[in-house]
């Protein structure tokens, strides 16, 4: 029935736990579902599904990945080098999205991202993650959305420079603007809808209580730049630059969720290769966190791994 209950611990209850020596280690929390399917209309509503050959394979791979993380020590350190938080009892799942209509046996073609707890950390906080007592490094997939589209449609990533480099009237467009327009175009149906979504995104990020100075500067730059060059011109020039994949843009949310799944599949292929080598890796959407000693291996795997 999609009914939920929230329980907030009082100070008295917390003191009771401490007095009776109850700790987080005494609480066993386990989800056990590695592949999840939720309704497109409601992010809270996960639904049952009939297993397919793919979901059974994926569950097995996710279980092996979760087991590797559970056998590893994953800590967030504070600025003084003390343990601020320990991550344990992992059941890493991939969350797919069910649309009203989809191809036969196509329940797992949309979404599919992993959302482990460390995705809620800021980039600065993630720099303080330690795996098995060793410092880590975060490596992302450059222009992950665009390159996922190229890899699926053309068989290789974009090879003519950086996908988000865009010049208009001899001047480079700020990269964060190009990136956001590209990202929101994947789930929009019109140029106007894309522009509205991007504007709302900048406003939302800059108004957060913990918004960074960069978030605020980006919002201001977006407002200044769109007075010089309108959004339709930016989008037209971007699509002209990416003719090979332009037909995958502005096709609505369902198609955008499918592109997201392409990206999530490519990211998980890298995870699988690292798990085979018993190397714990944490993912934050399109980036990877590993011990610094594995940085070069990760870069090699990131380059050669695709869906083809």
């Amino acid at each position: 029935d999609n009914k939920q209950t929230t329980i907030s611990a009082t100070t008295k209850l917390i003191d009771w736990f401490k007095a009776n020596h109850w700790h987080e280690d005494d609480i066993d929390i386990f989800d056990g579902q590695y592949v999840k399917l939720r309704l497109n209309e409601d992010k809270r509503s996960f639904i049952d599904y009939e297993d397919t050959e793919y979901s059974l394979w994926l569950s097995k791979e996710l279980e092996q990945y979760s087991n590797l993380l559970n056998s590893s020590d994953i800590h967030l350190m504070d600025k003084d080098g003390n343990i601020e938080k320990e991550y344990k009892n992992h059941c890493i799942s991939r969350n797919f999205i069910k649309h009203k209509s989809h191809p036969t046996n196509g329940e797992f073609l949309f979404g599919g991202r992993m959302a482990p707890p460390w995705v809620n950390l800021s980039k600065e906080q993630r720099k303080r993650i330690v795996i098995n007592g060793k410092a880590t490094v975060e490596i992302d997939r450059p222009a992950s959305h665009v390159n996922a589209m190229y890899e699926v449609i053309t068989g290789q990533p974009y090879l003519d420079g950086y996908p988000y480099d865009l010049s208009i009237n001899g001047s480079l467009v700020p990269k964060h603007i190009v990136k956001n327009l590209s990202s929101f175009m994947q789930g929009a149906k019109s140029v106007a809808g894309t522009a509205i979504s991007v504007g709302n995104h900048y406003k939302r990020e800059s108004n957060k209580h913990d918004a960074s100075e960069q978030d605020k500067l980006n919002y201001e730059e977006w407002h200044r730049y769109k007075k010089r060059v309108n959004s339709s011109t930016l989008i037209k020039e971007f699509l002209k630059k990416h003719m090979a994949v332009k037909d995958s843009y502005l096709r609505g949310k369902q198609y955008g969720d499918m592109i997201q799944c392409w990206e999530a599949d490519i990211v998980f292929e890298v995870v699988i290769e690292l798990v085979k080598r018993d190397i714990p890796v944490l993912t934050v959407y399109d980036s990877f966190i590993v011990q610094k000693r594995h940085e070069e291996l990760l870069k090699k795997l990131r380059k050669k791994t695709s869906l083809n």
Side-chain angles (χ1 to χ4, degrees):
D1 295 328
N2 197 27
K3 295 177 181 178
Q4 298 184 359
T5 299
T6 299
I7 301 174
S8 298
T10 62
T11 302
K12 183 177 179 181
L13 180 59
I14 293 171
D15 290 342
W16 186 90
F17 281 139
K18 290 179 179 177
N20 288 276
H21 308 291
W22 281 39
H23 303 285
E24 194 176 343
D25 289 339
D26 300 312
I27 303 170
D28 186 15
I29 302 172
F30 186 70
D31 186 324
Q33 190 173 3
Y34 297 103
V35 178
K36 296 182 178 181
L37 188 64
R38 69 168 174 83
L39 294 174
N40 173 45
E41 296 84 0
D42 190 343
K43 291 185 178 181
R44 298 171 301 170
S45 297
F46 286 96
I47 57 176
D48 289 332
Y49 58 85
E50 290 188 15
D51 268 313
T52 64
E53 186 176 336
Y54 171 75
S55 70
L56 292 171
W57 169 83
L58 185 56
S59 291
K60 182 179 178 182
E61 295 294 335
L62 284 162
E63 182 179 14
Q64 291 175 355
Y65 175 41
S66 297
N67 288 342
L68 177 60
L69 295 185
N70 285 326
S71 66
S72 306
D73 294 322
I74 304 168
H75 295 117
L76 171 65
M77 314 301 288
D78 64 20
K79 293 180 180 179
D80 296 322
N82 301 311
I83 295 176
E84 180 178 328
K85 184 174 179 61
E86 180 181 10
Y87 294 99
K88 57 186 180 180
N89 298 329
H90 305 288
C91 179
I92 306 298
S93 62
R94 284 188 60 182
N95 302 322
F96 293 87
I97 302 169
K98 180 178 178 60
H99 287 267
K100 288 182 179 178
S101 61
H102 53 72
T104 304
N105 298 324
E107 293 90 343
F108 306 110
L109 291 178
F110 309 100
R113 276 181 163 179
M114 292 181 285
W118 40 84
V119 301
N120 296 316
L121 300 176
S122 69
K123 200 170 185 71
E124 287 305 310
Q125 287 177 306
R126 296 198 298 267
K127 291 178 181 178
R128 303 200 302 269
I129 289 178
V130 170
I131 299 177
N132 292 332
K134 303 294 183 182
T136 60
V137 61
E138 182 171 353
I139 307 293
D140 66 357
R141 274 175 44 85
S144 185
H145 285 101
V146 176
N147 274 322
M149 294 164 70
Y150 269 91
E151 288 172 49
V152 171
I153 294 169
T154 73
Q156 56 189 357
Y158 182 72
L159 301 176
D160 192 17
Y162 187 61
Y164 295 134
D165 281 342
L166 185 67
S167 292
I168 294 181
N169 299 325
S171 176
L172 269 178
V173 182
K175 284 187 178 61
H176 65 90
I177 292 178
V178 182
K179 183 175 181 179
N180 279 316
L181 284 171
S182 169
S183 178
F184 282 95
M185 256 199 294
Q186 291 175 347
K189 288 187 175 181
S190 68
V191 170
T194 300
I196 291 171
S197 295
V198 171
N200 289 340
H201 166 76
Y202 279 119
K203 183 177 181 179
R204 185 169 57 249
E205 292 300 307
S206 67
N207 286 341
K208 286 182 177 177
H209 74 277
D210 58 348
S212 67
E213 282 303 311
Q214 191 59 55
D215 290 329
K216 297 173 184 177
L217 289 172
N218 287 350
Y219 185 34
E220 293 171 5
E221 190 168 34
W222 160 254
H223 268 294
R224 288 196 308 270
Y225 197 85
K226 70 177 185 176
K227 291 177 182 177
R228 291 172 47 200
V229 182
N230 63 48
S231 301
S232 62
T233 299
L234 288 171
I235 290 173
K236 178 181 176 182
E237 292 302 315
F238 180 81
L239 294 177
K240 189 185 296 183
K241 177 184 175 80
H242 295 291
M243 292 296 292
V245 297
K246 85 176 189 63
D247 290 339
S248 292
Y249 284 106
L250 299 174
R251 295 184 60 173
K253 188 177 187 323
Q254 181 165 351
Y255 202 89
D257 287 341
M258 184 165 66
I259 295 171
Q260 185 184 102
C261 195
W262 297 346
E263 180 193 25
D265 284 344
I266 293 170
V267 166
F268 195 62
E269 287 297 321
V270 176
V271 170
I272 289 173
E273 290 301 316
L274 289 169
V275 171
K276 288 178 182 176
R277 295 165 170 80
D278 287 325
I279 297 174
V281 54
L282 314 181
T283 64
V284 183
Y285 302 129
D286 59 357
S287 68
F288 308 88
I289 299 172
V290 293
Q291 292 177 337
K292 288 184 177 178
R293 64 193 178 108
H294 299 306
E295 181 175 359
E296 291 307 312
L297 172 62
L298 174 58
K299 287 179 177 178
K300 288 179 184 177
L301 290 174
R302 183 196 63 183
K303 274 188 175 182
K304 76 174 187 176
T305 303
S306 71
L307 299 181
N308 296 287

